[in-house]
Every structure is written in structure tokens, then in C-alpha cells.
Amino acid sequence: MEYFLTTSDKATPDVIEYARQLAETVGLEFLPRNRRSLKELRTYTTAGFFVLDQQRLLTYYGDPPFRFHPGMAHLRILALSRGERDRLIDLAKIEAGDVVLDCTAGLCGDAAVFSHVVGAFGEVIALESSFPVYLVTLTGLANYPFADSTDRQAFQRIKLYHQDYQDYLRTAEPESVDIVYFDPMFERPVTASSGIEPLRQIADYDRLQPSDIKQALDIARKCVVVKATAESSLWTAWPPDQLAESKGSRVVYGLYRK
Ligand SMILES: C[S@@+](CC[C@H](N)C(=O)[O-])C[C@H]1O[C@@H](n2cnc3c(N)ncnc32)[C@H](O)[C@@H]1O
């Protein structure tokens, strides 16, 4: 059996119905839980499986289990609301009303910060190629108990799609978005933080190519921003117009202007 979706043990009928509909919408088999243990469920598939809990949040049981969390987005949005600066927003010069394409959605932490800044008249399109990451994040955006309404609105305005950015870039109209952003997986984790470990197990590791940046520049009206480590070979293969480093951090942003 491939991926399947079930519910937690004590799910109420409305949650079971929600799970059934979600499974149908995304083309997964729905398996009634029927008091089966996680250990038994694991024997049904060599892939992983999804469990919807009473809060309508999904856990993906790969190894280790993967759940949605808003990460640093809450603190970044709070800081912006207080008038403080955000390094990425400043570099990309993202403004209210902009259309931002986030090619590597992950848990939509960066996308939520973009969404807060572009506001209700802007748009954030986020693409995720890993199906477990996509589905867990999609239900997280819809159902996570966000700390406040500003966070909730920012996350819920994001338009998240299960799509490979190469397919999107190939078919998008020229100058159809303002900013294109890439935050691909690093081969070596930057921190030993265990928070990112479940994502590392199920994420896709496509290496960004100069041709991707060229295509992204074609569809951008303003700029393309790439997050990578200081030692990334991309910086020599396709040098950016500006490299924004930060003291004591291996993470840098490369800005490609239109
Ligand atoms: C480092 S994470 C992004 C984290 C994100 N910026 C955030 O704030 O949560 C990179 C994500 O890009 C996804 N990814 C890798 N290659 C991709 C591709 N070709 N198209 C779409 N998503 C891709 C990975 O599966 C992973 O979830």
C-alpha cells in the first residue's frame, strides 16, 4: 500500500468526515482507524502514512514523525508589526501589494512573513514538491491554533500548491510576479537544531541551477532572492548582484536584480 490517511483513535464523527473528504480531495486512500495501533498501521505500508488528530492537524508518520509548526514566523511578524526591520524583506524590497513566488515552501515560515508584508492586496504563491511536506503544511495553514489573528491571516492567505518549481517556472508568464524566492535544502544542516530534523527526512533536495535563476528572473518584475550557505557553489556559478551576509551566520542571501 502507498501513503494512506487515517484519524487519531478518539476522533469524533465530524473529524472522521473531514479526514475522509481530505483524503478524497488529495487522492489518498482513507483507512478507518478502528482502534489499530500505530505499530500495526506501520505494517500496512513501506511509505509513510498520515494521521489526522482532533485539532484537524496531520502528523506524517515517517521516521521521525513530522508535524506543522510556525517556527520563527511569529517572532518575525511581531517584530515587523513593531516597526523593526527584517533582513530578507529589506533585501528583496518586498512591499504591500506585491506578488511573491516562494519556490520552496517547506512549512511556509518565510512565506508567512512575505504574506504579512504584502497584505490582503498582495499575493504569496508557495510551491512544495514533497507530498508529505505539502499535505502536513496545507492542513497546518488551515487548522493550526495560531498565537494571534495577525499570524493566522498571514499564514491563511498563502496559496500553497503541490508543485515542482521547475514545472512552474517553465510555464509561467514573463513578469507575472514581483519577487521569486528560493530556500533550497542545505546538504549539511546549518545548526544541530532537532526542530528541522523531521523535515530533513522527507524534503526534496533539488540543487538550484543557474538555469532556474535565469527562468525565475524572466518571470519576476523586480528580483530573485536565494538563501544558501556562504560556501555555496552557486555564488561563483551565477554571481548575484548583492550577497547579504550576516555576522556569525553561515546563511547568506543572494540578490539577483531584474
Ligand atoms: C529549507 S525548506 C524551506 C523552508 C521554508 N523557507 C520555511 O520557511 O519553512 C526547502 C523546501 O523546498 C522543498 N523543495 C525542494 N526542491 C523543490 C522543488 N524542485 N520544487 C518545490 N519545492 C522543493 C523541500 O522539499 C523543502 O520542503
Side-chain angles (χ1 to χ4, degrees):
M1 198 192 274
E2 268 297 318
Y3 297 132
F4 62 85
L5 194 152
T6 186
T7 62
S8 56
D9 226 356
K10 299 203 170 77
T12 51
D14 56 324
V15 168
I16 294 173
E17 185 47 32
Y18 181 89
R20 198 183 286 281
Q21 281 177 19
L22 176 65
E24 193 180 321
T25 308
V26 296
L28 286 183
E29 179 167 347
F30 174 74
L31 189 76
R33 181 67 185 255
N34 289 349
R35 307 188 70 87
R36 286 180 260 239
S37 67
L38 289 173
K39 198 171 163 200
E40 184 181 345
L41 291 172
R42 277 190 198 280
T43 64
Y44 294 170
T45 175
T46 47
F49 58 93
F50 299 89
V51 177
L52 191 82
D53 66 19
Q54 199 48 35
Q55 283 184 297
R56 302 178 183 224
L57 291 170
L58 280 179
T59 300
Y60 173 71
Y61 283 89
D63 190 20
F66 174 67
R67 288 172 67 80
F68 176 81
H69 61 82
M72 293 297 292
H74 171 66
L75 291 179
R76 288 174 67 192
I77 290 173
L78 193 65
L80 283 164
S81 309
R82 288 179 180 148
E84 293 167 27
R85 317 300 313 172
D86 183 276
R87 189 156 78 107
L88 178 53
I89 298 297
D90 284 349
L91 182 71
K93 294 196 170 66
I94 298 177
E95 303 171 317
D98 277 346
V99 179
V100 180
L101 173 67
D102 182 343
C103 286
T104 48
L107 292 164
C108 282
D110 287 321
V113 179
F114 302 149
S115 171
H116 173 73
V117 174
V118 304
F121 297 113
E123 190 181 10
V124 176
I125 301 159
L127 310 176
E128 175 55 54
S129 58
S130 157
F131 183 70
V133 176
Y134 160 76
L135 194 56
V136 167
T137 303
L138 188 76
T139 47
L141 298 182
N143 302 321
Y144 187 83
F146 290 104
D148 57 45
S149 60
T150 311
D151 291 358
R152 188 172 58 249
Q153 284 164 14
F155 274 96
Q156 292 191 344
R157 276 198 304 264
I158 298 166
K159 294 179 180 153
L160 176 65
Y161 299 100
H162 177 221
Q163 192 171 11
D164 190 305
Y165 62 68
Q166 285 180 337
D167 294 336
Y168 187 100
L169 294 176
R170 229 189 355 257
T171 53
E173 291 292 317
E175 309 215 325
S176 51
V177 304
D178 292 295
I179 292 116
V180 182
Y181 176 64
F182 295 96
D183 173 16
M185 298 297 292
F186 301 148
E187 292 296 328
R188 266 192 316 129
V190 175
T191 60
S193 138
S194 58
I196 187 105
E197 196 48 36
L199 175 70
R200 290 184 56 78
Q201 299 303 325
I202 53 174
D204 285 334
Y205 281 76
D206 291 343
R207 286 187 70 153
L208 196 61
Q209 305 296 329
S211 56
D212 298 327
I213 297 178
K214 189 181 172 310
Q215 278 182 327
L217 275 170
D218 286 344
I219 74 157
R221 289 186 283 262
K222 294 184 178 175
C223 65
V224 174
V225 177
V226 178
K227 179 178 174 184
T229 52
E231 62 269 23
S232 169
S233 57
L234 186 68
W235 309 137
T236 40
W238 191 270
D241 296 301
Q242 188 183 337
L243 255 190
E245 291 161 305
S246 158
K247 242 186 174 174
S249 169
R250 268 179 68 216
V251 176
V252 297
Y253 293 109
L255 174 76
Y256 299 85
R257 291 196 190 89
K258 187 71 183 174

